[in-house]
Amino acid sequence: MSQRVNTIEFDIDEKGCFCNGLLCFENGVIKKYVNSQLTGEFSLENIDELCKIINVGCGSLEMKKKNCDVDENIVLCNFSMSCIKEVSEFNKMVNSYIETGETHNVYFENGRCPHCGRPYFQNSKECLFCTKKGNLLKKTFKMFRSYFMAILKITILLILSTVMTIIKPIIQGNLIDKYFTRTDAVSFDVASKGLVNSVLILVGLYLLGMALGTVSSILIAKVGCSFSHDLRCRLFDKVQRMSISSVAKHTNGELIHRISNDTENVMNFFVSEASRLLERFIIFLIVFIVLFVTSYKLTILVVLPIPIAIFLFYKSSDKMHKYNAQLWRSGSKEASVLNDIIRGIRLVKTFGNEEKEIAKYSKVSGSFCKMSIINGRFWALFVEPVSFLIAIGEILVLIIGGKMVIDGELSLGSFVSFNLYLAHLYSPLRWMSGLPRRFSNATTSLVKIFDILDEEIDVENSEKSITEINSGDIVFENVSFGYKSYEPVLKNINVTMQEGKMYGLVGHSGAGKSTMINLIIRLFDPNEGKISVGGINLTDYDQRSFRNKIGVVYQDTYLFSGTIYDNIKYSSENASMEEIINSAKIANAHDFIMRLPDGYNTVIGENGYRLSGGERQRLAIARAVLKDPQILILDEATSALDPETEELIQQALGRLVKGRTTVAIAHRLSTLRHADKLIVIENGEIAEMGTHVDLLRERGIYYDLVMAQKQLTRREK
Amino acid sequence: MDNELTCYLDAEKIIFRTNENGFCMMEYADEIYKRVNLLKTCPQISPHKFICVQKMDSTEIGIIKDLNELDEESKIVAINELEKKYFLPEITKFVSIKIKPGTAFMDCIFGNVRKSFAVRDVSHNVFYVDNHTARINDSDGNRYIVNINKLNKKSRKMIEPLLY
């Protein structure tokens, strides 16, 4: 849904209190209304621009007067973060008017729910307020419809197995009425024969029930394992496809918890419990009919407390969910802290903080334990009284049924079989009384799973999905980008990088250099403008094929636990041993590898902790070389290394960049002086561009940076 | 460790005033800064201590150790300025909290204003900042504060299960 932005709402007044405000823009005038009262009219004459200031949890929109300092700005309005998107679009529109003198009716995807008008949450396309409750289960059933037949088979087997058990009381009741309380009409022989036959039938039923039960258990195990494997893979697949910014919203421990524990919870419920649910329900119905036929009066007594129990469950469902969510949170936090400490164990030991970390873990583990106890206590205090309430019927049956037997209204056999059936009626009821807890557990986990599965992938493959790159030319055309669209990090970037040449990105920290690289790798898509490679828009490439043509060497390179061979081969699965050795030689890594007793088969430990920083870096370069990339990205690839190691790596990089489009970031500017072109980024914009010599001659930002670094080097010496 | 890198401002020499456009200005040691930006170094632990004073181009002028050391008028101006920058309205009452899987929907009273908002991923967005103060971050990016001790029993019962 798109919306015109000539009129926008704001919600904070001058005193910092909530209000209902409106800004209307028409014919070069902005009118301000607070609580339906016109409080100001502002002409755009002599106004330089509108500036949006973002603070913490709020912001303000200011008018900057021409040739005046910022202390003379006029505050148009203050707003909370609920209004930020509209204010940003309004800001752009008015600034465009100031620049061009023309009013463009700007429409924008307002990301709001068409029903209630509230904004969507981050990347979601679903309104949090308007989502129907049933959606969760609907989505779950849709996702696992392929398992329905298997679950149905299990259910049928379980029902058959239970029917075997249900028939038994009829035979037992019959045995009592016909043979045990026999009259003279039934001879001893007939009674004995009847007893033997009944016992044989009972044994047969037991055996058949056991066989059916065994087969259904095997099926449950089989379906359950496939189900949780499938769910884990779906979740893992989604996590792999999510953008870096989406993954960064979750801690490692939390993601691991979701992939392992939550999938297991859901599997337990949907495979074991869901198949039993139908089975128990059918048993309940059959037993209910049998009981009703035997004695409708007693049956009414039995089922009388059930609606009360259901009502109690319904009333406490919110509380159940809250307790389960709390338990989930404390479990997830415990997993997260544990993962954090174990990953940073070397740092913990280096700083001698073992005791501190033990205390930290003990605290979260204690909190998890406390929540488990609270949860357990709630269930014990809730389920047991409800179970007792349900069982009141049993006592009533004993009193009233006993009286009916004494009065001759009911035979003893019927009374005994009624009581035996009663157990079959209460068994599913008791099981069902624990169901809300299991259901609540499963839905808590399901929500966490769908949180991830439903997240929109913000960088998707287009329909074209081109797999080949014509050339390594990279072109930025009017590119603007911000991790939050209203806070641009890069503004209107226009640059052409030619194939086979080396480009250095230079600028202060936070200027936008790494963001430019992230856009080339297509970890994000620009908010405005386009980036093309080989004359084709980046969004038209198949991401996997495109990234296969790109080699990246980061400062903090990551190596997987495994051997050196595995780690180099990671970038090209089909590489031969000759190619691996060749790339290690280009990266100046071969010599140090050969000094290791196990050579290329040396196990390097998690993230290569058995290697030095320089060795790890050279392995990363070898990995990039093996790919034979058309475009090479070097993000601080040589910083934080000693001069000797840096020299080795520079030699390796020198060999690597030949014939490829190379984009490099380096804080040590000396490493970029041979670049064909240096691009100086300042506050998200290209400030200077040229060769090292050109830029020094210009005496601009680059010159200042070089001089500052020279001074620093001199001081260090 | 020395503090040479940090310039701590002498509270006695500071004068904060509000200019005619409502912006905070500072006079310090015979120098006038027409518009300054005030930032909290530890917004949660000590909101009025170690306040960083910046020029509008983000260069730091210095740090004020404690706003209580300023003269009364300057202190009021500084606190007002910080309140404008750090919008943290206080929830005084919870009318209802509805839990849908994954999201809590809160209908709240802020003094005399009623507002409803959604909180996604409660475990990360509802938490204690100290023994009696909780923070809530909503799905739009707004932040709210709740003094648990000031809430009535009903409100406390609603919010407490979401805190741990």
Side-chain angles (χ1 to χ4, degrees):
Chain A
M1 198 177 102
S2 57
Q3 176 188 303
R4 252 178 87 170
V5 288
N6 293 36
T7 300
I8 54 155
E9 289 175 12
F10 63 90
D11 55 0
I12 303 177
D13 66 14
E14 285 155 9
K15 290 176 192 158
C17 300
F18 282 121
C19 71
N20 293 315
L22 277 181
L23 280 187
C24 307
F25 172 69
E26 212 163 0
N27 304 324
V29 176
I30 296 173
K31 288 181 183 171
K32 181 180 174 181
Y33 297 86
V34 177
N35 298 329
S36 308
Q37 300 279 315
L38 180 69
T39 56
E41 272 190 56
F42 306 92
S43 163
L44 293 180
E45 270 179 43
N46 295 321
I47 296 298
D48 200 18
E49 61 172 346
L50 250 62
C51 336
K52 180 182 74 228
I53 314 279
I54 304 289
N55 299 315
V56 182
C58 65
S60 60
L61 193 60
E62 296 179 9
M63 295 169 95
K64 189 178 179 308
K65 292 180 195 164
K66 277 181 186 156
N67 307 318
C68 290
D69 289 334
V70 283
D71 59 293
E72 290 173 64
N73 283 4
I74 299 165
V75 179
L76 268 179
C77 71
N78 298 309
F79 52 86
S80 77
M81 299 311 277
S82 308
C83 307
I84 182 82
K85 282 184 186 164
E86 288 88 336
V87 170
S88 300
E89 294 305 320
F90 184 82
N91 186 9
K92 274 188 214 165
M93 185 200 60
V94 176
N95 280 345
S96 156
Y97 175 84
I98 294 169
E99 221 171 273
T100 63
E102 288 173 24
T103 311
H104 300 285
N105 276 335
V106 179
Y107 293 84
F108 77 110
E109 285 302 317
N110 67 0
R112 281 180 178 268
C113 170
H115 301 293
C116 68
R118 290 185 175 97
Y120 293 133
F121 178 72
Q122 290 174 355
N123 297 327
S124 173
K125 287 274 181 280
E126 199 173 58
C127 175
L128 298 178
F129 285 85
C130 300
T131 315
K132 284 179 190 149
K133 259 190 176 176
N135 272 4
L136 187 69
L137 284 179
K138 217 159 93 184
K139 279 194 279 190
T140 313
F141 285 125
K142 207 172 148 193
M143 186 163 67
F144 291 109
R145 58 184 158 208
S146 57
Y147 289 93
F148 281 175
M149 283 314 289
I151 292 174
L152 196 67
K153 269 186 210 165
I154 295 170
T155 309
I156 292 169
L157 285 171
L158 286 172
I159 291 169
L160 287 175
S161 152
T162 319
V163 165
M164 302 300 124
T165 323
I166 289 173
I167 300 170
K168 284 174 219 160
I170 300 177
I171 297 165
Q172 286 158 337
N174 204 29
L175 195 67
I176 293 167
D177 280 349
K178 268 191 175 172
Y179 308 116
F180 288 0
T181 54
R182 66 194 169 91
T183 56
D184 292 340
V186 180
S187 69
F188 178 76
D189 285 348
V190 173
S192 305
K193 209 175 163 187
L195 177 66
V196 171
N197 284 343
S198 300
V199 170
L200 282 176
I201 293 169
L202 281 174
V203 171
L205 289 173
Y206 271 117
L207 288 173
L208 201 57
M210 188 186 75
L212 289 166
T214 309
V215 176
S216 61
S217 297
I218 292 169
L219 267 178
I220 286 175
K222 196 179 155 191
V223 174
C225 291
S226 319
F227 184 95
S228 65
H229 164 71
D230 192 6
L231 191 54
R232 273 199 302 269
C233 288
R234 273 169 196 248
L235 208 54
F236 186 72
D237 180 86
K238 185 61 191 262
V239 171
Q240 289 293 308
R241 285 168 205 283
M242 277 157 63
S243 69
I244 300 284
S245 57
S246 300
V247 173
K249 278 185 239 157
H250 313 277
T251 63
N252 293 346
E254 193 186 311
L255 286 174
I256 292 168
H257 192 267
R258 289 188 193 198
I259 294 171
S260 50
N261 295 26
D262 287 332
T263 51
E264 211 58 22
N265 273 350
V266 173
M267 183 280 281
N268 280 337
F269 183 79
F270 278 90
V271 177
S272 314
E273 308 289 350
S275 53
R276 290 205 183 273
L277 178 69
L278 196 60
E279 174 223 350
R280 304 277 157 136
F281 184 68
I282 290 172
I283 294 170
F284 179 81
L285 272 185
I286 295 171
V287 173
F288 179 78
I289 293 165
V290 173
L291 287 181
F292 200 79
V293 170
T294 312
S295 169
Y296 73 91
K297 281 184 194 166
L298 289 181
T299 311
I300 290 168
L301 288 177
V302 170
V303 296
L304 213 57
I306 295 173
I308 305 168
I310 292 172
F311 176 74
L312 287 174
F313 276 123
Y314 174 74
K315 287 303 281 180
S316 54
S317 63
D318 267 5
K319 208 164 193 176
M320 277 177 211
H321 183 74
K322 273 181 195 170
Y323 279 127
N324 265 314
Q326 272 182 309
L327 187 65
W328 187 94
R329 287 202 299 271
S330 48
S332 172
K333 190 162 186 186
E334 184 260 353
S336 195
V337 169
L338 182 65
N339 177 65
D340 212 25
I341 297 170
I342 300 288
R343 274 175 67 89
I345 194 87
R346 280 206 293 174
L347 195 72
V348 173
K349 290 196 175 293
T350 314
F351 283 92
N353 275 348
E354 290 94 334
E355 293 303 322
K356 194 176 151 192
E357 297 303 335
I358 290 168
K360 188 175 167 186
Y361 180 71
S362 172
K363 193 180 167 194
V364 288
S365 176
S367 164
F368 182 43
C369 165
K370 192 177 152 197
M371 278 321 303
S372 304
I373 293 169
I374 291 173
N375 212 28
R377 196 171 51 204
F378 168 76
W379 284 101
L381 290 173
F382 182 76
V383 172
E384 291 311 320
V386 171
S387 298
F388 174 74
L389 184 73
I390 294 170
I392 283 177
E394 214 171 341
I395 299 161
L396 293 173
V397 166
L398 210 61
I399 299 165
I400 297 169
K403 194 171 178 299
M404 284 164 81
V405 173
I406 293 164
D407 293 345
E409 263 184 71
L410 193 71
S411 73
L412 182 62
S414 299
F415 181 67
V416 170
S417 91
F418 191 96
N419 272 294
L420 286 171
Y421 272 119
L422 213 53
H424 285 291
L425 189 83
Y426 283 133
S427 155
L429 276 180
R430 285 204 181 95
W431 179 85
M432 281 180 206
S433 69
L435 193 65
R437 181 184 195 175
R438 294 188 289 268
F439 181 72
S440 182
N441 261 338
T443 47
T444 306
S445 291
L446 260 178
V447 167
K448 302 297 172 189
I449 288 172
F450 277 116
D451 258 359
I452 291 184
L453 289 180
D454 286 351
E455 197 156 320
E456 292 266 313
I457 296 175
D458 34 20
V459 180
E460 285 212 86
N461 271 341
S462 77
E463 282 174 13
K464 290 183 186 166
S465 287
I466 296 164
T467 52
E468 289 300 320
I469 301 178
N470 297 331
S471 74
D473 291 344
I474 306 167
V475 182
F476 279 67
E477 283 176 75
N478 307 316
V479 170
S480 293
F481 172 77
Y483 295 96
K484 287 173 186 163
S485 58
Y486 51 85
E487 282 175 18
V489 178
L490 291 176
K491 294 166 219 162
N492 203 27
I493 301 286
N494 286 291
V495 67
T496 301
M497 300 176 188
Q498 286 170 346
E499 186 177 37
K501 293 196 171 170
M502 183 178 178
Y503 295 84
L505 300 181
V506 181
H508 295 102
S509 291
K513 305 182 296 285
S514 294
T515 305
M516 249 180 110
I517 276 179
N518 287 341
L519 290 178
I520 296 173
I521 308 169
R522 215 192 153 204
L523 293 181
F524 305 95
D525 282 334
N527 303 124
E528 283 169 36
K530 73 166 185 177
I531 302 168
S532 49
V533 170
I536 294 164
N537 194 333
L538 214 54
T539 54
D540 290 338
Y541 283 107
D542 170 68
Q543 287 183 60
R544 196 163 167 244
S545 312
F546 177 72
R547 290 198 187 124
N548 262 334
K549 310 285 180 197
I550 295 183
V552 188
V553 184
Y554 291 109
Q555 178 186 3
D556 50 346
T557 194
Y558 190 84
L559 299 175
F560 291 99
S561 49
T563 63
I564 288 177
Y565 175 84
D566 295 334
N567 268 286
I568 299 178
K569 207 182 170 196
Y570 187 77
S571 64
S572 176
E573 264 311 294
N574 301 320
S576 65
M577 191 61 205
E578 288 87 343
E579 287 169 323
I580 290 172
I581 292 173
N582 187 43
S583 53
K585 284 204 164 181
I586 292 174
N588 269 345
H590 181 74
D591 290 346
F592 91 78
I593 295 171
M594 291 322 294
R595 280 198 293 273
L596 300 166
D598 289 324
Y600 282 81
N601 293 128
T602 304
V603 176
I604 56 171
E606 199 172 329
N607 200 16
Y609 75 90
R610 288 180 196 156
L611 303 175
S612 72
E615 287 167 344
R616 281 206 298 270
Q617 200 68 336
R618 277 177 274 171
L619 284 191
I621 295 171
R623 194 156 64 182
V625 174
L626 189 65
K627 240 177 150 182
D628 191 20
Q630 271 177 278
I631 296 167
L632 184 66
I633 308 279
L634 305 172
D635 191 352
E636 301 282 2
T638 59
S639 56
L641 295 175
D642 60 81
E644 204 177 312
T645 314
E646 195 194 350
E647 180 55 33
L648 284 172
I649 290 172
Q650 282 297 344
Q651 284 172 9
L653 290 175
R655 288 192 283 262
L656 180 58
V657 299
K658 274 181 195 154
R660 308 173 208 277
T661 315
T662 306
V663 186
I665 298 177
H667 271 121
R668 233 174 269 169
L669 297 172
S670 56
T671 59
L672 293 178
R673 65 175 180 267
H674 299 302
D676 294 290
K677 204 177 253 183
L678 294 167
I679 301 163
V680 183
I681 317 266
E682 182 78 351
N683 295 326
E685 289 170 294
I686 295 180
E688 294 167 11
M689 208 157 31
T691 61
H692 171 73
V693 178
D694 292 342
L695 294 180
L696 283 184
R697 216 175 284 141
E698 272 182 31
R699 295 194 166 230
I701 298 167
Y702 181 72
Y703 175 84
D704 290 344
L705 284 168
V706 171
M707 288 304 128
Q709 217 161 66
K710 270 190 180 168
Q711 267 185 354
L712 188 73
T713 318
R714 242 179 263 141
R715 230 182 281 156
E716 277 172 358
K717 278 178 185 168
Chain B
M1 203 160 58
D2 59 37
N3 283 329
E4 278 174 17
L5 290 174
T6 314
C7 169
Y8 286 100
L9 303 178
D10 183 352
E12 287 184 2
K13 292 182 189 165
I14 300 171
I15 298 172
F16 281 122
R17 292 291 178 266
T18 308
N19 77 3
E20 55 184 8
N21 294 311
F23 299 118
C24 179
M25 55 184 283
M26 182 176 83
E27 277 181 51
Y28 183 73
D30 299 331
E31 198 150 352
I32 296 173
Y33 300 90
K34 287 179 179 175
R35 186 176 172 186
V36 289
N37 204 3
L38 302 187
L39 299 168
K40 300 178 185 182
T41 47
C42 297
Q44 288 176 15
I45 304 167
S46 40
H48 292 161
K49 285 182 179 168
F50 294 93
I51 301 300
C52 176
V53 186
Q54 288 184 345
K55 291 182 196 166
M56 290 312 286
D57 62 2
S58 297
T59 47
E60 187 173 296
I61 301 166
I63 290 176
I64 305 167
K65 281 191 178 169
D66 191 345
L67 290 187
N68 289 319
E69 290 169 8
L70 297 175
D71 68 84
E72 202 52 32
E73 197 179 343
S74 296
K75 186 180 151 186
I76 292 168
V77 172
I79 289 173
N80 285 345
E81 181 67 12
L82 286 171
E83 278 177 5
K84 264 194 245 171
K85 295 257 175 243
Y86 293 80
F87 187 60
L88 205 59
E90 185 176 343
I91 297 172
T92 48
K93 190 180 168 187
F94 287 92
V95 180
S96 75
I97 298 180
K98 286 205 186 316
I99 308 280
K100 269 190 197 177
T103 314
F105 299 92
M106 303 189 180
D107 190 2
C108 306
I109 306 279
F110 296 83
N112 52 7
V113 176
R114 187 167 170 170
K115 213 171 142 49
S116 63
F117 53 86
V119 178
R120 193 86 192 246
D121 207 352
V122 174
S123 55
H124 290 128
N125 293 311
V126 182
F127 52 91
Y128 274 117
V129 285
D130 61 42
N131 287 340
H132 54 86
T133 315
R135 245 247 328 260
I136 299 173
N137 301 334
D138 77 6
S139 59
D140 288 335
N142 296 306
R143 301 142 155 247
Y144 310 105
I145 203 137
V146 189
N147 188 328
I148 303 291
N149 293 343
K150 281 195 209 164
L151 293 176
N152 62 22
K153 204 176 164 190
K154 200 178 157 199
S155 296
R156 208 182 301 176
K157 258 184 141 180
M158 279 188 230
I159 189 67
E160 269 176 349
L162 303 183
L163 293 155
Y164 71 100

